Amino acid sequence: MYSFKTDYSEGAHPRILQALMNTNLEQDEGYGEDRFSNQARELIIEKLGQANVDIHLMVGGTQTNLTAISAFLRPHEAAIAAESGHIFTHETGAIEATGHKVLSVKTEDGKLTPSLIQTVLDYHSDEHMVKPKLVYISNSTEIGTIYLKKELIELSQFCREHQLILYMDGARLGSALCSQGNDLTLRDLPEMVDAFYIGGTKNGALLGEALVICQDSLKADFRFHIKQKGGLMAKGRLLGIQFLELFRDNLFFELAENANKMADWLRVELRKVNIQFLTASPSNQLFPILPNAVISELQKNYAFHIWEKVDSDHSAIRLVTSWATPKEAVEEFVQDVRKNLYL
Ligand SMILES: Cc1ncc(COP(=O)(O)O)c(C=O)c1O
């Protein structure tokens, strides 16, 4: 049984495990004040080409989102997200549990636009309703799409004009930035968004996300917020060592490239047998639409999510490739699709 369920089905890239082993008995400070975390932050700053940011190494995606969003908002303020956005659909109401409503918008492709945000602003006109203050986007999105530079610039300008905080969930930022057609770089982000995170968990780390706070007004006391939310790890060095390894050279991007290469290959091969896709996703998540009978056969040998019913005979499934997906796995999967389509 091979799993295309997620990009965190494997442990960690061997170089990361080796780095953890090599430093295992070295003593250092706790709570992210160790030299590995300091060096990792410096390296990320170098890659961003922007020294005026605060970087916090966090444990997981939900925890990063809820800590950041609740720290950035005042009690009556709310976040705006696409209906498919992770904070709206898959975080067990974590943001709401901090006291902030998440206002959702239906989208075609998982991406927010100024006009979609405007509809929320128009509706929330006075103090009898929550005040929309933060725009949550994810890149890549939960349905595999990516933001182009022009789209992000438009969002950024709109948010600035309307005093909205623009926050990017980068759980799969590596895959987004390595996708075909992407024209954004890490260096562009501090100019365009107020805060974002660089996902490690889904890109070869054992765990960990690097939150980058770009907007000065959002920086104060952030470590207090992390601690109060239970996220300040005593052994914060574990995060530092991992991010140091990911950014020491090009490992972070090499791993994302492998995930994308496998997805690209799958996409091309599935198209050859006329498979349609639910979304045009250039990243490591694909949503092919298959006959239900074929899906049932494939489930005997592969694990994947059934995403959405398309009609009475077809459903879209989600296939996620990872930094560790071998070519043989995708080749076998395609062969099995072919075999079952033509039975
Ligand atoms: C876009 C996005 N954000 C956040 C998360 C949450 O990460 P975690 O499961 O580490 O809390 C996920 C996990 O799938 C995700 O896809």
Side-chain angles (χ1 to χ4, degrees):
M1 177 72 78
Y2 189 82
S3 176
F4 288 104
K5 266 190 164 171
T6 72
D7 31 19
Y8 47 88
S9 298
E10 296 90 5
H13 188 270
R15 261 183 58 187
I16 287 180
L17 291 182
Q18 194 58 52
L20 291 167
M21 286 288 286
N22 293 347
T23 52
N24 197 31
L25 292 178
E26 293 176 27
Q27 295 185 313
D28 213 317
E29 295 296 318
Y31 299 105
E33 296 188 309
D34 58 281
R35 67 184 181 289
F36 310 110
S37 300
N38 289 337
Q39 281 174 34
R41 284 189 282 265
E42 278 164 25
L43 259 186
I44 295 173
I45 281 175
E46 209 180 293
K47 303 272 174 190
L48 293 171
Q50 169 61 271
N52 187 30
V53 294
D54 280 2
I55 297 180
H56 300 277
L57 302 181
M58 311 284 288
V59 176
T62 303
Q63 184 224 30
T64 305
N65 288 338
L66 78 90
T67 308
I69 294 173
S70 65
F72 298 162
L73 295 180
R74 296 177 65 205
H76 57 291
E77 293 173 341
I80 303 173
E83 208 166 73
S84 52
H86 209 264
I87 60 166
F88 184 67
T89 51
H90 284 118
E91 296 189 0
T92 328
I95 306 301
E96 288 89 341
T98 67
H100 301 280
K101 196 164 178 173
V102 180
L103 304 164
S104 71
V105 188
K106 262 197 194 333
T107 67
E108 284 290 309
D109 55 5
K111 296 197 277 182
L112 288 181
T113 60
S115 60
L116 288 174
I117 299 168
Q118 187 65 55
T119 58
V120 182
L121 300 184
D122 290 345
Y123 186 65
H124 291 80
S125 52
D126 63 28
E127 67 277 14
H128 297 275
M129 301 175 109
V130 291
K131 183 176 177 182
K133 183 65 184 177
L134 180 143
V135 172
Y136 166 96
I137 57 174
S138 37
N139 197 27
S140 59
T141 69
E142 295 70 9
I143 48 176
T145 50
I146 60 169
Y147 281 88
L148 296 178
K149 195 167 183 168
K150 180 174 166 288
E151 295 168 330
L152 195 59
I153 290 173
E154 281 169 9
L155 268 184
S156 179
Q157 283 170 351
F158 180 87
C159 287
R160 279 181 195 154
E161 279 162 23
H162 294 81
Q163 285 87 48
L164 295 168
I165 298 163
L166 183 56
Y167 172 77
M168 180 187 277
D169 177 333
R172 295 193 174 86
L173 187 59
S175 175
L177 297 182
C178 293
S179 292
Q180 279 178 29
N182 166 68
D183 56 358
L184 279 170
T185 66
L186 258 191
R187 285 181 173 244
D188 292 327
L189 299 181
E191 301 298 325
M192 298 183 193
V193 302
D194 296 303
F196 67 101
Y197 77 83
I198 304 172
T201 306
K202 297 178 173 66
N203 197 34
L206 265 184
L207 76 164
E209 327 293 329
L211 175 69
V212 182
I213 307 181
C214 317
Q215 175 61 252
D216 287 338
S217 61
L218 304 177
K219 292 175 181 170
D221 294 342
F222 200 79
R223 278 173 61 81
F224 289 81
H225 291 286
I226 303 176
K227 179 70 182 177
Q228 200 172 58
K229 295 281 182 295
L232 202 59
M233 273 174 81
K235 289 188 183 168
R237 59 184 286 156
L238 298 180
L239 299 170
I241 292 165
Q242 295 184 81
F243 274 98
L244 191 50
E245 209 48 43
L246 283 173
F247 284 101
R248 182 187 295 290
D249 46 29
N250 214 27
L251 184 62
F252 179 80
F253 291 104
E254 282 167 21
L255 297 182
E257 271 162 15
N258 185 72
N260 284 3
K261 218 162 86 184
M262 294 302 112
D264 292 345
W265 200 87
L266 260 179
R267 190 184 307 107
V268 168
E269 293 302 312
L270 291 174
R271 275 196 190 135
K272 282 185 192 164
V273 284
N274 296 323
I275 301 293
Q276 307 289 313
F277 292 81
L278 193 65
T279 63
S281 59
S283 64
N284 70 327
Q285 298 185 86
L286 300 180
F287 298 83
I289 298 168
L290 295 168
N292 293 334
V294 173
I295 294 174
S296 300
E297 284 304 310
L298 291 170
Q299 280 177 316
K300 293 178 183 164
N301 293 319
Y302 304 93
F304 49 79
H305 285 291
I306 298 181
W307 192 256
E308 182 177 308
K309 189 175 161 185
V310 172
D311 59 37
S312 55
D313 296 326
H314 295 80
S315 302
I317 62 169
R318 183 180 84 155
L319 300 175
V320 188
T321 52
S322 86
W323 59 275
T325 304
K327 181 85 185 280
E328 298 75 51
V330 291
E331 279 173 347
E332 275 172 34
F333 181 82
V334 170
Q335 270 173 23
D336 281 348
V337 172
R338 283 175 188 271
K339 196 174 80 193
N340 285 296
L341 275 176
Y342 299 127
L343 271 183

